[in-house]
Amino acid sequence: MLDLKLIRENPEKVKQGIANKNEKDRVDEILELDKHRRELIAQSEELKSKRNQVSAEIPKLKKAGQDVTEILAEMKKVSDSITELDVKLREVENQLSEILMYIPNLPHETVPVGKSSEENVEVRQWLPEGFSFEWENGKPLDHIELGKKLNILDFERGAKVSGSGFPVYKGKGATLERALINFMLDYHLQHHGYSEIFPPFLVNRDSMRGTGQLPKMEEDMYHIEKDGLYPIPTAEVPITNLHREEILNEKDLPVKYVGYSACFRREAGSYGKESKGFLRVHQFNKVEMVKFVKPETSYNELELLVKDAEDILQALKIPYRILMLCTGDLSFAAAKCYDIETWSPAENRWLEASSCSNFEDFQARRANIRFRNEQTKKLEFVHTLNGSGLATSRLMVSILENYQTPEGKVIVPPVLQKYTGFNIIG
RNA sequence: GGAGAGGUGGCAGAGUGGUUGAAUGCGGCGGUCUUGAAAACCGUUGAGGAUGCAAGUCCUCCGGGGGUUCGAAUCCCUCCCUCUCCGCCA
């Protein structure tokens, strides 16, 4: 949510930011409602002030033995007027906040302006020693072929049990997945100073609103109507909402959490070539990092967040590149975002495995997460950030494909071997 | 699923129609005392909004919503949540 004052005072800047994000601009509508709202407030408050004044007089007059019948009758009228004004005011405020909930966050000034993912900017690449984009021994098998051949992935049975997009990991594949999750969690705990959260996988509507998934992305969410709960699309939702409606201590900042969760996404209307195998699924596993920080540090924290995710890939020796998303490709709530993409030799392209974003105070405002500034003694909104550290499904594609041998076996990345208890699959 | 209790400031916890935005305690902040600290004592300490250059003035807020009343933390209705006990259960 944007600050209404910001919109009121810098409407042109806000319009530009929204336009750069390819979103519909309803700023004029907001300004109109805001003006009306303040008129109603002024009228209502004037009457309330009068009512308060007279109400304080009444007991005194009564004590003095005066007749107050006439005053009571007049105050009844005043009260009725107040009710009338407040009803109008509430309507206006409801409309206003409804529109505000659909206004995206503004891109940071360092974000390149662009229409779509085509205009994202590659920041850097990291390639393990001896890596080549040219595959040396014929054609690499893709993760689906490997999964089938090694009997570690089963997309068909997943489709039978649940539906398409619900992959099953079997045998050493299941162990490898679990090893990967544990490795990533341990790494962030031991080397990056996070503390671990194991969050609920179902959350309520307020939480979904707090991080910005609702109301705009309603169609992309699973929803358990009977209980009013939503399966989480990312651990960002429960972990960020841990501190909803809370005031944090400045000395505790930055608060850094890392947590594993399964992630559930409807991916409505996204069937097609992008959806084979692991490339787009309804359920996947992810280790998520979430930070609550002081505003002035948030862009530095964003760089550190990316670095934390990169460390995992370097330890796994998976080739990757970092993209800075352009304004048009930024998500609804993000002010700045880096994607990390890992290399798939079989697809012969990069696959998104992580997204690291700074939301500035956009989520904090929605979720009302504040801290007390020790110097000014004032409450301020924290800045929130989160990043995948990382999502396993796409990463698994890169691991299986990059670590395959000419015989179609898969070597377990050395850092994972103590977690798996075996060092080769097949 | 059944029964009961309860939701009040950063926290704990009073308050049951009219200077109660709210006693008291803890915590926080400032001070006195002290070489320093602790203790003790004194003072201070909620949020949001409207308006204003500012100082200030005003309004709202005691789980959410609605109602009664000139006036509601306090009375009524309704919804939500938390806790305890019983039942069921991994």
Side-chain angles (χ1 to χ4, degrees):
Chain A
M1 192 160 63
L2 294 182
D3 185 4
L4 188 53
K5 273 195 195 123
L6 175 78
I7 300 176
R8 192 187 296 152
E9 285 158 21
N10 304 287
E12 292 312 316
K13 188 179 148 193
V14 172
K15 283 183 185 180
Q16 186 60 54
I18 296 173
N20 286 345
K21 260 192 157 177
N22 293 336
E23 296 264 359
K24 208 171 133 212
D25 150 27
R26 300 179 69 180
V27 169
D28 289 332
E29 216 174 324
I30 289 173
L31 293 176
E32 191 64 32
L33 284 167
D34 177 50
K35 192 175 159 217
H36 192 195
R37 165 179 163 267
R38 285 184 292 157
E39 285 165 4
L40 289 170
I41 287 173
Q43 291 172 28
S44 167
E45 288 192 350
E46 196 184 322
L47 291 178
K48 280 175 184 168
S49 181
K50 183 177 176 190
R51 180 178 68 184
N52 288 344
Q53 233 174 323
V54 176
S55 284
E57 289 299 317
I58 288 173
K60 292 180 195 163
L61 293 175
K62 271 188 177 170
K63 239 175 225 167
Q66 292 196 31
D67 179 26
V68 293
T69 321
E70 230 169 276
I71 300 175
L72 294 191
E74 198 199 328
M75 281 304 107
K76 173 74 179 153
K77 278 188 206 161
V78 170
S79 263
D80 289 346
S81 306
I82 291 172
T83 307
E84 215 173 293
L85 284 168
D86 280 350
V87 167
K88 279 189 205 159
L89 178 61
R90 184 133 46 100
E91 272 171 34
V92 169
E93 287 190 328
N94 284 345
Q95 286 178 44
L96 193 55
S97 62
E98 175 72 9
I99 296 175
L100 274 174
M101 290 302 270
Y102 281 92
I103 301 288
N105 199 3
L106 303 178
H108 188 247
E109 57 187 14
T110 55
V111 173
V113 175
K115 283 276 168 233
S116 71
S117 56
E118 316 244 308
E119 293 174 70
N120 292 342
V121 174
E122 184 174 313
V123 178
R124 59 182 173 273
Q125 259 185 31
W126 183 90
L127 307 173
E129 250 183 79
F131 172 82
S132 165
F133 285 106
E134 302 301 320
W135 197 259
E136 283 166 20
N137 305 291
K139 215 171 168 275
L141 296 177
D142 71 23
H143 74 282
I144 300 174
E145 295 164 326
L146 285 167
K148 199 161 206 157
K149 183 170 185 295
L150 300 172
N151 197 28
I152 55 175
L153 299 175
D154 193 335
F155 295 100
E156 289 76 15
R157 287 202 175 89
K160 175 173 70 181
V161 171
S162 300
S164 103
F166 290 90
V168 175
Y169 300 76
K170 295 195 296 192
K172 288 185 173 175
T175 307
L176 181 62
E177 174 78 356
R178 184 161 52 83
L180 186 57
I181 293 165
N182 282 332
F183 162 71
M184 294 192 291
L185 282 170
D186 285 349
Y187 201 96
H188 292 309
L189 293 174
Q190 287 160 19
H191 301 285
H192 299 147
Y194 290 81
S195 58
E196 185 169 357
I197 302 290
F198 204 126
F201 291 1
L202 302 180
V203 299
N204 58 33
R205 203 176 163 83
D206 285 343
S207 293
M208 290 293 261
R209 218 196 317 262
T211 30
Q213 280 73 21
L214 292 181
K216 194 162 179 284
M217 267 70 91
E218 187 101 48
E219 279 309 296
D220 298 317
M221 302 301 148
Y222 285 106
H223 183 201
I224 298 165
E225 231 164 281
K226 196 168 182 183
D227 299 291
L229 295 170
Y230 295 81
I232 56 175
T234 156
E236 159 195 351
V237 179
I239 297 179
T240 306
N241 277 283
L242 287 177
H243 293 303
R244 173 152 51 83
E245 307 290 341
E246 288 188 14
I247 296 167
L248 304 175
N249 288 320
E250 182 176 1
K251 62 176 190 300
D252 294 337
L253 300 178
V255 171
K256 295 164 67 176
Y257 294 131
V258 65
Y260 155 78
S261 87
C263 302
F264 304 91
R265 301 190 177 178
R266 286 188 73 222
E267 303 291 356
S270 68
Y271 298 97
K273 67 181 162 91
E274 283 289 305
S275 61
K276 68 173 183 180
F278 268 144
L279 299 188
R280 191 173 297 280
V281 287
H282 292 305
Q283 179 184 326
F284 60 94
N285 295 309
K286 183 156 60 66
V287 168
E288 183 78 0
M289 304 175 283
V290 176
K291 297 196 208 183
F292 303 81
V293 310
K294 287 195 264 184
E296 64 271 23
T297 66
S298 68
Y299 280 95
N300 186 41
E301 292 286 354
L302 177 61
E303 299 300 322
L304 296 173
L305 188 66
V306 175
K307 196 76 194 49
D308 290 342
E310 285 185 76
D311 284 350
I312 298 287
L313 293 173
Q314 293 187 11
L316 288 167
K317 300 194 191 304
I318 296 292
Y320 67 86
R321 66 171 184 173
I322 311 284
L323 296 180
M324 194 194 307
L325 299 198
C326 71
T327 55
D329 203 28
L330 276 182
S331 70
F332 179 71
K336 184 170 183 173
C337 176
Y338 292 103
D339 274 3
I340 303 178
E341 298 184 331
T342 59
W343 179 251
S344 158
E347 301 289 324
N348 195 39
R349 64 185 175 108
W350 300 98
L351 301 174
E352 180 188 336
S354 171
S355 217
C356 299
S357 309
N358 184 0
F359 303 96
E360 297 190 2
D361 65 2
F362 188 83
Q363 292 182 327
R365 214 172 265 287
R366 288 182 162 230
N368 199 23
I369 308 169
R370 295 172 294 175
F371 73 100
R372 178 149 336 251
N373 184 314
E374 305 265 345
Q375 279 188 329
T376 63
K377 305 288 175 211
K378 294 283 179 202
L379 292 175
E380 291 179 33
F381 291 109
V382 298
H383 280 193
T384 58
L385 302 93
N386 66 58
S388 351
L390 301 70
T392 62
S393 51
R394 308 254 177 82
L395 178 54
M396 189 58 81
V397 171
S398 286
I399 290 176
L400 294 177
E401 292 180 4
N402 280 291
Y403 276 90
Q404 64 182 292
T405 66
E407 304 78 45
K409 299 180 179 188
V410 170
I411 295 166
V412 176
V415 290
L416 295 183
Q417 290 178 6
K418 69 173 176 191
Y419 286 92
T420 53
F422 50 82
N423 50 27
I424 193 158
I425 303 175

